[in-house]
Amino acid sequence: MASVAQAIRMALHYGEKHLGVKDVFGQDVGAPLGGVFTATQGLKTAWNTPLDERGIISMAMGIAMTGDRCVAEIQFGDYIFNTIDLLKIAGNTLWVTNGQVELPMVVMTPVGAGIFGSIYHSHSFDAWASRLPGWKIVMPSNPLDAYGLMLSAIKDPNPVLYLKSKALMRHKGEDLIPGEPADEKELKAMIDKPVQNSAGWKPRWPDLEEYIVPIGKGKITHAGEHITIVTYSRMVHLCDDVAKKLAQEGISVEVIDLRSIYPYDWDMIKSSVEKTGRVLFVNEDTEVTNFGEHLAYRVTQECFYHLMARPRVLAGKNLPGIGLNPNLEKNSVPQLSDIELAVREIVAEVP
């Protein structure tokens, strides 16, 4: 099975071959590195920029304003903060031009913890991103969704922020991407640049097919009856593990992978909460003004008479950064035991 990094790479190749992508760029995106996680390795349209995040976003906006499709990368989400004013302008361009100027641009960046990257390589950006009007925000949790969401992002006529988990870049899924060879060694031999003797190397792309994950559509990754967990990206796997463990005790947990945090699948959330009466929102961004808080508020407003317990948000600690020692990271962002404890407390709550 492909990894998330390989899935993104294949989606970008599909984009440049079939969807009109003419530029994929950012720091170390082009040869020889092909991206810090190799997600752009071997792409025909990939090129390198200076270490200038504002220049990268400005370039993407300029290309998109001409009508060309492009994918820009900020090497780590930790360094996207100094572009927020430009992201704001990109997001409101369609609105302020009365619908006359579309911006078909994708900005992708690795986010979150999980690799013990300390203070400069562990930040989340989802809460900040959700406050950027005019942008669609996607966060895949597995290779097939990474592929399908990237194709949706490329096809979208306006800005899409593609937030990929650093910790999931080597994660392999359970489903083949349409056109992907069944043998992962064969795939590796086709599209991964060899570590040695790579002079003159070119990828041999599989005959990939279109596969779309609609932006704004979530997925139930574990069906249940007693409590709903709403999550996305890396936390999906932790929540699924908790659901499987508690199922052995008769606690039935439904896990929703949002896949997009804006627009988000409110119909799926509402339907599940009305069924279970209990809900936990899990993500690793900091707990103050967390995106999950918005969802908890909306659940309280629109599902109040279905609730059997208070909605809860389990998020990262409100700290300036994550420390270098692995123990500091584990105490800063939700872990398996934190999710399990929260679920047990909510299920035990009696109205």
Side-chain angles (χ1 to χ4, degrees), residues 62-302:
I63 291 172
M65 282 181 180
T66 71
D68 283 348
R69 297 185 183 279
C70 65
V71 178
E73 179 175 78
I74 301 298
Q75 193 172 63
F76 286 95
D78 309 67
Y79 302 104
I80 200 171
F81 290 87
N82 70 342
T83 72
I84 283 182
D85 56 337
L86 294 170
L87 297 178
K88 175 178 176 291
I89 293 170
N92 70 23
T93 296
L94 181 70
W95 189 75
V96 300
T97 61
N98 197 26
Q100 297 182 61
V101 178
E102 296 180 327
L103 289 185
M105 58 186 276
V106 179
V107 175
M108 62 177 181
T109 188
V111 295
I115 62 169
F116 306 116
S118 189
I119 193 166
Y120 293 116
H121 295 87
S122 300
H123 269 104
S124 294
F125 193 65
D126 29 319
W128 291 86
S130 69
R131 303 181 199 115
L132 290 169
W135 284 81
K136 298 180 181 71
I137 319 294
V138 301
M139 296 189 71
S141 67
N142 61 73
L144 184 61
D145 284 355
Y147 184 86
L149 284 170
M150 179 57 81
L151 296 197
S152 288
I154 291 170
K155 282 189 163 191
D156 199 281
N158 276 293
V160 178
L161 197 49
Y162 187 99
L163 303 180
K164 48 188 181 181
S165 165
K166 300 170 190 130
L168 289 182
M169 294 302 284
R170 300 288 176 258
H171 170 79
K172 295 182 179 179
E174 299 176 349
D175 302 303
L176 283 174
I177 292 165
E180 173 192 345
D183 183 347
E184 64 183 55
K185 291 182 179 178
E186 181 184 355
L187 177 67
K188 179 178 176 61
M190 293 175 74
I191 70 169
D192 282 4
K193 189 173 78 171
V195 176
Q196 296 179 327
N197 303 318
S198 61
W201 171 82
K202 289 184 179 179
R204 294 180 291 111
W205 298 105
D207 190 14
L208 297 162
E209 302 170 20
E210 183 166 291
Y211 175 79
I212 298 294
V213 174
I215 295 175
K217 291 295 182 184
K219 180 182 180 181
I220 295 175
T221 58
H222 192 280
E225 301 290 334
H226 299 156
I227 181 173
T228 301
I229 300 180
V230 181
T231 186
Y232 45 85
S233 192
R234 182 168 76 96
M235 290 292 141
V236 170
H237 304 286
L238 299 183
C239 294
D240 278 344
D241 287 346
V242 169
K244 291 172 186 172
K245 178 181 179 181
L246 295 182
Q248 298 173 11
E249 302 177 23
I251 300 175
S252 179
V253 181
E254 183 146 291
V255 180
I256 293 177
D257 177 2
L258 278 183
R259 305 198 286 193
S260 303
I261 62 172
Y262 200 85
Y264 56 84
D265 197 339
W266 173 245
D267 289 344
M268 180 174 285
I269 296 172
K270 184 178 181 184
S271 174
S272 181
V273 172
E274 288 180 349
K275 176 179 67 175
T276 65
R278 293 175 165 84
V279 62
L280 172 67
F281 300 96
V282 180
N283 65 70
E284 60 179 295
D285 209 337
T286 49
E287 58 196 354
V288 176
T289 63
N290 184 280
F291 172 63
E293 291 181 333
H294 159 69
L295 298 177
Y297 172 77
R298 189 168 179 185
V299 162
T300 305
Q301 293 299 307
E302 300 189 32

